[in-house]
Amino acid sequence: MIQDTTPPASELTHRLALEADLPELQAVMDAAIGELQHGFLSPEQIESSRAIMGLDRQLVADRTYFVVEAQGRIAGCGGWSRRATLYGGDHTPGRDAALLDPAREPARVRAMYTHPDFARRGVGRLILRLCEQAAAAEGFSRLELMGTLSGAPLYESYGFQAIERIVDARGGAPVPLLRMGKQIIRHA
């Protein structure tokens, strides 16, 4: 019998990502894209996903990107943005760095990845909570994200609702995605 040594959510720590984290963040993203989408996407769609997902250094530079650690490793990462780009990495065409107006536009939840060794251990929920709190502190009242089929159950359980289904074929094979939104819940 294999013993599960993954820590409970209470043993997770978090901090803002640093430039020095970028190589390890890239490795977490590669593992998550390659492994956690099985059962949701075909091998061709998983490969195509790499063209529309991945590392966005602007989030790190903006100090809106979180690292979640466990057992001395990066267990996951994700963040939020006050910029117009809804999804995609540094290499994805169509990015828009325009600043959003918190009074009328939703903040973006961006680039959420959990290392497969830490899947379903509270990493994603922690990142969502951190994003919601940070966006609320800057005056935003709504969040939006572009979810993968594998991520949609987490987002729905956190209160996000489907807005629009799209297909992004910029990487070759068509990848189904789900634009989702949520009112920010302000905690006293």
Side-chain angles (χ1 to χ4, degrees), residues 17-31:
L18 305 170
E19 284 281 325
D21 295 319
L22 294 176
E24 193 173 353
L25 293 175
Q26 185 65 58
V28 168
M29 292 173 188
D30 289 343

Side-chain angles (χ1 to χ4, degrees), residues 133-173:
Q133 290 170 349
E138 289 201 20
F140 287 92
S141 61
R142 270 191 70 70
L143 296 171
E144 275 192 16
L145 59 80
M146 188 64 77
T148 61
L149 296 181
S150 61
L154 166 66
Y155 305 135
E156 288 169 351
S157 75
Y158 194 77
F160 281 86
Q161 296 179 337
I163 297 172
E164 170 186 29
R165 293 182 185 280
I166 71 161
V167 174
D168 191 326
R170 291 179 289 178

Side-chain angles (χ1 to χ4, degrees), residues 30-61:
D30 289 343
I33 291 169
E35 294 181 39
L36 297 180
Q37 296 188 94
H38 288 287
F40 295 92
L41 300 177
S42 70
E44 295 79 20
Q45 289 172 311
I46 291 171
E47 196 53 40
S48 183
S49 295
R50 295 181 191 285
I52 59 171
M53 298 177 193
L55 187 61
D56 185 342
R57 288 175 174 82
Q58 183 69 60
L59 299 171
V60 176

Side-chain angles (χ1 to χ4, degrees), residues 67-150:
V67 170
V68 174
E69 295 173 312
Q71 300 174 334
R73 295 173 53 200
I74 294 181
C77 51
W80 72 282
S81 182
R82 59 183 76 86
R83 298 182 185 275
T85 296
L86 183 57
Y87 71 102
D90 290 341
H91 59 283
T92 307
R95 297 165 53 81
D96 184 353
L99 292 173
L100 299 168
D101 178 358
R104 60 180 186 80
E105 296 174 297
R108 313 304 198 202
V109 173
R110 300 279 319 280
M112 288 192 49
Y113 298 93
T114 300
H115 191 283
D117 291 348
F118 297 95
R120 287 171 283 293
R121 303 291 179 184
V123 173
R125 286 190 78 77
L126 174 57
I127 292 168
L128 289 171
R129 183 172 50 81
L130 294 168
C131 291
E132 185 171 20
Q133 290 170 349
E138 289 201 20
F140 287 92
S141 61
R142 270 191 70 70
L143 296 171
E144 275 192 16
L145 59 80
M146 188 64 77
T148 61
L149 296 181
S150 61

